[in-house]
Amino acid sequence: MDIAIAIVLLVLIAFVIIVLVRSVRIIPQARAGVVERLGKYQRTLNPGLTLLIPFVDRLLPLLDLREQVVSFPPQPVITEDNLVVSIDTVVYFQVTDARAATYEIANYIQAVEQLTTTTLRNVVGGLNLEEALTSRDQINGQLRGVLDEATGRWGIRVSRVELKAIDPPHSIQDSMEKQMRAERDRRAAILTAEGTKQSAILTAEGQRQSSILKAEGDAKAAILRADGEAQAIQKVFDAIHKGNPDPKLLAYQYLQTLPKIAEGSSNKLWIIPSEVGDALKGIGSVLGTGPAPVPAPATATATATDPDPLAAPGGVDTPGSRA
């Protein structure tokens, strides 16, 4: 009798434990659970402590409400120019309605994968290879729009679709590399030619500006020299008039200037002005030697290297002594 009572008590305790276990459920954060009562949808459980009716309510596997990232294997896609490319895709989606994700689609991950593949083939099939390689943003936008619209009734929101890689055939890759290499060589040749042209233009411009500046400098220097000489002559002229020189001093200065005419090793011929006679006459009157011979008005020349017996005393040819 005691053994039977103990067995009944153990059974009751086990039953109570099972009832408590099946009645009390804890839903973690960012999870959702769907409860069926007698096989029919009853409610969706939110995070926290929840009580269920044992043997009447059934809790389905919990759904993850966080954004999920699914990478699909490469898919062969034929472009508009009949080239087969391999495209890897990554889809970012999130479950927004646990009830729809449970009852509207059997396997939403597989459904998203197949929908991505078919949509990708439709989009890329209308582009050639070059457009497919350079229009990733456009392809991503079209894929996201189509997937978000189709998966909305499944309780899923597609936030982003990215193309990881677009791999054309190896023969096409080699051709593209050769084309890019030729394009880079062409650009390098153009840049080199442009640099040479620009260098020549700058060199010519520099030479032109240098010539202009040099000519302007020479002109200014000549003007300054002329101004200096004019000022010097004016000062000499003013000094002479202020000193009021007599004819004797002028004749003496005149004779001192004559040797400068023959200075230099290249001077083989020099001209004796007709005023030399007047100067000699003034010198003679100063020294008291009497009047000098009056020269003829014509101007004569004599060479410095060939002496002439008709030359005047002192080695100076008088006017009219040589024809």
Side-chain angles (χ1 to χ4, degrees):
M1 188 66 180
D2 295 335
I3 296 175
I5 294 173
I7 292 174
V8 171
L9 291 175
L10 291 176
V11 171
L12 290 175
I13 293 172
F15 178 77
V16 171
I17 293 174
I18 293 174
V19 169
L20 292 175
V21 170
R22 295 180 64 89
S23 300
V24 179
R25 293 296 178 90
I26 298 176
I27 307 300
Q29 185 66 33
R31 301 289 193 279
V34 175
V35 177
E36 293 180 347
R37 179 167 293 174
L38 299 177
K40 184 180 179 180
Y41 171 77
Q42 201 271 332
R43 70 181 187 276
T44 300
L45 300 181
N46 295 321
L49 181 64
T50 303
L51 296 178
L52 302 177
I53 299 175
F55 307 106
V56 177
D57 294 340
R58 184 171 70 94
L59 180 62
L60 299 181
L62 300 179
L63 297 177
D64 194 346
L65 300 181
R66 296 172 297 180
E67 187 173 7
Q68 302 181 41
V69 182
V70 179
S71 178
F72 300 131
Q75 300 294 329
V77 181
I78 301 177
T79 61
E80 187 181 15
D81 46 0
N82 296 326
L83 293 176
V84 179
V85 296
S86 179
I87 302 179
D88 296 349
T89 55
V90 179
V91 179
Y92 299 80
F93 67 92
Q94 184 179 11
V95 177
T96 58
D97 188 353
R99 179 182 178 278
T102 302
Y103 295 108
E104 296 295 336
I105 189 71
N107 189 339
Y108 56 83
I109 295 180
Q110 184 179 3
V112 170
E113 178 183 359
Q114 296 301 323
L115 183 61
T116 302
T117 301
T118 55
T119 305
L120 184 63
R121 288 176 178 173
N122 292 333
V123 173
V124 178
L127 304 174
N128 55 38
L129 179 59
E130 185 176 357
E131 293 175 346
L133 293 174
T134 58
S135 305
R136 292 196 176 191
D137 293 338
Q138 178 183 354
I139 297 174
N140 294 339
Q142 294 182 5
L143 286 176
R144 180 186 176 280
V146 174
L147 291 176
D148 194 23
E149 181 181 359
T151 58
R153 62 187 183 88
W154 300 341
I156 297 174
R157 182 179 63 85
V158 178
S159 58
R160 294 182 63 183
V161 179
E162 296 290 342
L163 301 182
K164 286 200 306 183
I166 301 178
D167 299 327
H170 295 289
S171 59
I172 301 299
Q173 292 182 9
D174 295 338
S175 300
M176 293 174 62
E177 291 179 358
K178 292 180 181 179
Q179 181 181 0
M180 293 302 298
R181 190 179 302 110
E183 181 67 19
R184 287 193 295 269
D185 294 340
R186 184 182 69 85
R187 291 179 181 178
I190 292 175
L191 292 177
T192 302
E194 288 291 338
T196 304
K197 174 184 175 183
Q198 192 67 21
S199 176
I201 292 174
L202 293 177
T203 301
E205 183 67 21
Q207 293 177 353
R208 185 179 71 86
Q209 293 182 0
S210 176
S211 300
I212 292 174
L213 293 176
K214 184 178 180 181
E216 291 178 353
D218 294 340
K220 291 182 179 180
I223 293 173
L224 292 176
R225 284 195 299 268
D227 292 340
E229 292 176 358
Q231 292 178 5
I233 294 173
Q234 185 65 35
K235 287 184 178 181
V236 172
F237 181 79
D238 294 340
I240 292 174
H241 281 273
K242 286 181 180 180
N244 194 15
D246 54 2
K248 300 176 181 180
L249 178 61
L250 294 177
Y252 181 71
Q253 294 293 332
Y254 189 83
L255 291 176
Q256 284 184 338
T257 308
L258 287 177
K260 295 182 180 180
I261 299 176
E263 288 182 355
S265 59
S266 61
N267 291 335
K268 302 299 182 180
L269 179 68
W270 52 282
I271 300 173
I272 299 177
S274 60
E275 292 83 359
V276 172
D278 296 336
L280 293 176
K281 181 179 179 180
I283 293 297
S285 62
V286 172
L287 299 177
T289 56
V294 178
T299 301
T301 59
T303 59
T305 55
D306 298 328
D308 195 332
L310 298 179
V316 180
D317 290 344
T318 60
S321 59
R322 289 178 61 94

